[in-house]
Amino acid sequence: MAFYTVMTPPPGSGGLRSEIEQARLMPERFSWGAFLFTGLWLLGRRLWLATLVFVLIFAGLVYLRSRFGLHPGALTLSYWTIALFLGFEGNNLVARKLARQGWRLADVVEARDLAEAERRYFERALAAYPPVPRAPIAAPRQPTPPSGSLPIIGLFPEAKGR
């Protein structure tokens, strides 16, 4: 079972019900995308400051390699160390970015997958609201039998009751 952090948008972005509908669920697990595609993943999540820090650190390491003869293995090891850190902490960086923008931590949900986590969160969040009243369903009308003779439609109109 995985844990999912639920963040809701800042107040004033609609009613409480629309805030619940706009909630973002982020898994608390290792992010393979951040591990394998570090810089691109940071850009894709719009983490500008973290991307800048990543680029500066990596540029500094490349400079140390060219200027002072740093071993290429050290450069590779440092890159994968940063990638491993982002794999573990990438989703937390996204949550912190949202918190700085005014999003609030609404809940932490335990579930097998994202669909189940969403279902559990919506059940909990909407439990405080009274159910929406439904319009009464009208009873179906009984068809009235036609009066008079009906024209015969079909291939054999002269069947005469056979």
Side-chain angles (χ1 to χ4, degrees):
M1 295 283 248
F3 289 97
Y4 291 83
T5 302
V6 181
M7 303 285 287
T8 56
S13 62
L16 190 58
R17 196 173 194 93
S18 69
E19 289 178 12
I20 291 172
E21 289 175 359
Q22 295 174 7
R24 289 185 59 183
L25 281 81
M26 294 174 292
E28 292 290 326
R29 63 175 183 222
F30 187 81
S31 174
W32 285 100
F35 177 67
L36 297 174
F37 310 108
T38 51
L40 293 175
W41 186 87
L42 289 169
L43 285 174
R45 297 288 189 254
R46 300 178 74 154
L47 297 169
W48 309 124
L49 184 60
T51 304
L52 179 67
V53 169
F54 171 72
V55 168
L56 288 176
I57 288 174
F58 203 68
L61 289 171
V62 169
Y63 175 76
L64 286 175
R65 182 177 183 269
S66 66
R67 180 81 174 160
F68 299 111
L70 187 65
H71 193 272
L75 186 65
T76 304
L77 179 66
S78 60
Y79 172 79
W80 287 112
T81 303
I82 293 170
L84 187 63
F85 171 77
L86 284 176
F88 283 118
E89 294 296 321
N91 292 325
N92 290 336
L93 290 174
V94 174
R96 291 181 67 193
K97 174 195 158 199
L98 291 174
R100 282 191 307 272
Q101 292 175 350
W103 289 60
R104 297 163 303 184
L105 175 66
D107 201 355
V108 176
V109 181
E110 181 182 10
R112 286 187 204 101
D113 58 357
L114 181 62
E116 183 180 349
E118 286 176 344
R119 184 184 53 79
R120 285 186 179 185
Y121 167 67
F122 289 135
E123 284 175 357
R124 279 191 225 167
L126 297 175
Y129 293 105
V132 177
R134 296 184 180 183
I137 299 173
R141 295 186 341 181
Q142 294 292 331
T144 57
S147 60
S149 65
L150 293 174
I152 298 176
I153 299 174
L155 295 176
F156 307 106
E158 59 277 355
K160 296 183 183 157
R162 288 196 230 164

